[in-house]
Amino acid sequence: SSGFYTYGELSRFQDTTEIQNMLLLSVGFREGKRHSLPEDSNNNKMDTSLNDTMFLVQRLVRFLEATTSELEAANRRLADMARMDRLTKLYNRGEIETILKNEFNSLQKHPLPTAVIMIDLDDFKSVNDKYGHSMGDEVLQGVANILISSVRHGDSAGRWGGEEFVILLPGANVISGAQIAERIRQR
């Protein structure tokens, strides 16, 4: 349903008509199931003269609920976009720095073994130079998939820079961190 509402002044002088101070408001509502009228405490339907008004209010409420839901979903997508690297779908540098900072603050209160793996792809520039940037992007995505499949629940993997990655492994000591790093290197 939609409606157009206008308010304005018309000025007419001889054969000329002008519109002045015109306001045009267009309103649209999403349609859905029509809700029945609310009942009073005696289970009697409310006055039918309220039917049109209540229906309009119900449509407005549904419209606001749908719009709010869409905005919340869009905000969640934006928050994810702000935290994630678009190409690799890993955490971006800003988010991984925040995670590292939080982990180091937590370690000062509750010391636990924690491993950090830094990864730099050797001669990556030559891949881009020889095969093109689209192939370089595929290589970065492939490495990201290896990292995602290699880390445990609770670990954090992120893209540090161009061809550099970092993995935070809370609870992993030097030996288990080195084993995970070697497994990643072999893959």
Side-chain angles (χ1 to χ4, degrees), residues 146 150 178-187:
I146 290 170
S150 299
Q179 290 170 341
I180 293 170
E182 179 58 23
R183 186 171 60 235
I184 290 170
R185 188 191 67 77
Q186 288 178 5
R187 287 182 178 176

Side-chain angles (χ1 to χ4, degrees), residues 30-37 54-55 58-60 62-63 65:
R30 291 184 182 183
E31 290 296 330
K33 290 183 179 179
R34 182 175 178 157
H35 297 291
S36 61
L37 287 173
M54 291 302 295
F55 186 54
Q58 289 170 343
R59 290 191 317 187
L60 182 57
R62 282 196 306 273
F63 172 75
E65 287 174 346

Side-chain angles (χ1 to χ4, degrees), residues 123-180:
D123 301 318
F124 181 74
K125 184 180 180 314
S126 65
V127 172
N128 278 338
D129 292 344
K130 186 172 182 178
Y131 301 104
H133 288 278
S134 61
M135 181 58 72
D137 289 350
E138 286 187 40
V139 170
L140 293 173
Q141 290 167 337
V143 170
N145 290 335
I146 290 170
L147 299 182
I148 291 168
S149 67
S150 299
V151 297
R152 309 163 300 176
H153 180 70
D155 295 342
S156 300
R159 186 173 177 196
W160 191 253
E163 77 279 2
E164 300 168 338
F165 299 88
V166 64
I167 304 172
L168 176 65
L169 306 164
N173 60 24
V174 173
I175 295 171
S176 61
Q179 290 170 341
I180 293 170

Side-chain angles (χ1 to χ4, degrees), residues 57-148:
V57 170
Q58 289 170 343
R59 290 191 317 187
L60 182 57
V61 167
R62 282 196 306 273
F63 172 75
L64 291 174
E65 287 174 346
T67 303
T68 301
S69 176
E70 288 175 0
L71 285 172
E72 288 171 348
N75 284 334
R76 283 190 297 273
R77 285 191 305 272
L78 285 173
D80 286 343
M81 288 171 60
R83 297 176 33 221
M84 308 304 283
D85 179 68
R86 183 183 55 81
L87 178 66
T88 62
K89 307 298 186 240
L90 297 173
Y91 290 124
N92 63 25
R93 183 171 179 153
E95 184 65 16
I96 204 73
E97 283 178 345
T98 300
I99 292 169
L100 286 167
K101 181 181 174 183
N102 291 340
E103 185 64 25
F104 289 135
N105 288 339
S106 176
L107 289 173
Q108 290 178 359
K109 296 175 187 171
H110 309 287
L112 292 171
T114 300
V116 177
I117 301 172
M118 293 292 296
I119 299 168
D120 182 86
L121 303 181
D122 292 338
D123 301 318
F124 181 74
K125 184 180 180 314
S126 65
V127 172
N128 278 338
D129 292 344
K130 186 172 182 178
Y131 301 104
H133 288 278
S134 61
M135 181 58 72
D137 289 350
E138 286 187 40
V139 170
L140 293 173
Q141 290 167 337
V143 170
N145 290 335
I146 290 170
L147 299 182
I148 291 168

